[in-house]
Amino acid sequence: MIYRPVLFVASTAFALSGRAATSFHKSTSFHQRKYSETILKMNKILESPSAERNKAPIYDQVLATNIFPRLIKDTKSDKIKVLELAAGCGVHTIHFVQSFLSSNKELGIEWHPSDPDLEARESIDARIILSGLEESIVNANGWILGKSGGTACGDGDRGNVDAGSSISGHDGDVADYEQYHNYFDLVLCINMIHISPWEATLGLMACAGKSLRKGGILMCYGPYRVNGTAVESNLRFDESLKSRNSDWGVRNIEDVIDAASKEGLSYVDHIEMPANNMSVLFRKE
């Protein structure tokens, strides 16, 4: 059914007069504004085919069965606090929060999406409003990790410039998470490490090391090399990434683990995922 607010106003207001008509016009104007705001928000939404493909496996195979049960058992709060770095256009944000709330009736969630790309943040915020999840998800922040954080929008393809850099036109903010030291139960970073400079990974570990509470978990998802090598498809992917930006590439998992350990994050486990990806888990000691 097509909503035509202008025609509705004209036909109904004709039969009204005086105070009733004035009240009606005020009410209808409010709904017209909300309708217009909704349309504008929808125009801000970006898409990520890879996020659509992997959102269910990540939630079902990692978050729902591994991470959230640990955190729920361990928490003394009435809600789980999550920081999602390089959140992209919000596909993961919405799916993960909706899935958590549908299966955890007694426990709330406080989700903080973050991305250095302005368009990504606008997309996230639009998805939050259209999904009616304002009580569980705060507006996206623009923290840049290290030199620059990555973004999952457009599957990481923003040309040959770093997301969050001034030349890209998508400015983020210098990471300011002092108020969140030892605050989060979980930090997520999905498909960033290979599509951003190594400095962003170092910034990710520094952020997680400071913002996670003791016993909190960091999960990093994406493709990795193990002992310097990988399956053929990931090696070709690595070549493709480096042809677009020499600072990108499929990282050695040993280097990522080492960077994490320097920030007080101990390697726990890794979970094999579809399409030759891994979910790598760390714990703050």
Side-chain angles (χ1 to χ4, degrees):
M1 182 173 65
I2 300 175
Y3 182 37
R4 297 184 175 87
V6 176
L7 295 177
F8 178 73
V9 172
S11 61
T12 309
F14 182 80
L16 299 176
S17 61
R19 185 176 300 174
T22 301
S23 176
F24 175 83
H25 280 299
K26 287 182 179 180
S27 174
T28 305
S29 296
F30 170 78
H31 289 293
Q32 282 182 294
R33 288 196 304 273
K34 297 301 289 183
Y35 175 77
S36 299
E37 290 170 4
T38 300
I39 296 299
L40 290 173
K41 290 291 183 184
M42 290 177 66
N43 290 337
K44 296 286 187 181
I45 289 178
L46 303 175
E47 301 294 342
S48 172
S50 69
E52 292 289 352
R53 290 192 299 270
N54 63 38
K55 65 183 184 182
I58 292 173
Y59 189 84
D60 296 341
Q61 298 177 32
V62 185
L63 294 176
T65 59
N66 191 311
I67 294 178
F68 282 141
R70 295 189 195 188
L71 295 177
I72 291 171
K73 182 179 179 180
D74 190 39
T75 189
K76 297 178 182 178
S77 175
D78 61 350
K79 58 187 174 183
I80 299 295
K81 304 179 187 72
V82 182
L83 171 62
E84 181 189 4
L85 296 170
C89 51
V91 171
H92 291 135
T93 305
I94 301 304
H95 180 74
F96 295 164
V97 172
Q98 287 177 332
S99 299
F100 179 89
L101 293 175
S102 68
S103 58
N104 295 277
K105 304 300 183 183
E106 304 300 322
L107 193 64
I109 196 163
E110 178 184 310
W111 199 281
H112 293 247
S114 175
D115 199 285
D117 189 306
L118 176 59
E119 290 182 359
R121 297 197 300 275
E122 290 177 339
S123 177
I124 294 168
D125 292 343
R127 288 179 183 271
I128 294 169
I129 291 173
L130 293 176
S131 300
L133 292 171
E134 296 95 327
E135 292 186 4
S136 298
I137 310 174
V138 304
N139 288 340
N141 69 64
W143 296 345
I144 294 177
L145 304 173
K147 175 185 174 183
S148 169
T151 177
C153 285
D155 297 326
D157 186 2
R158 289 279 180 174
N160 293 320
V161 297
D162 296 332
S165 67
S166 59
I167 56 174
S168 74
H170 303 280
D171 294 328
D173 307 312
V174 175
D176 180 15
Y177 40 81
E178 184 174 350
Q179 63 178 312
Y180 295 111
H181 281 192
N182 306 305
Y183 184 81
F184 293 103
D185 300 292
L186 171 64
V187 173
L188 296 179
C189 188
I190 298 171
N191 279 342
M192 184 205 82
I193 290 177
H194 59 287
I195 53 173
S196 60
W198 179 244
E199 291 86 351
T201 298
L202 299 180
L204 157 66
M205 298 307 175
C207 176
K210 292 180 175 67
S211 63
L212 280 171
R213 63 165 175 81
K214 185 177 181 179
I217 295 173
L218 166 66
M219 188 206 83
C220 301
Y221 171 94
Y224 295 92
R225 293 174 179 262
V226 178
N227 296 321
T229 190
V231 297
E232 184 62 32
S233 61
N234 279 351
L235 293 177
R236 290 195 301 270
F237 184 40
D238 179 64
E239 292 177 359
S240 173
L241 290 170
K242 289 176 177 175
S243 71
R244 287 152 53 190
N245 190 317
S246 60
D247 289 332
W248 295 359
V250 177
R251 310 296 183 186
N252 291 313
I253 192 170
E254 295 85 1
D255 294 336
V256 176
I257 291 172
D258 182 63
S261 69
K262 292 176 180 177
E263 299 296 340
L265 304 167
S266 298
Y267 168 75
V268 175
D269 194 8
H270 73 268
I271 300 168
E272 299 287 344
M273 303 295 294
N276 298 311
N277 290 298
M278 292 183 191
S279 293
V280 186
L281 308 185
F282 302 89
R283 183 180 185 273
K284 181 175 179 178
E285 299 301 330

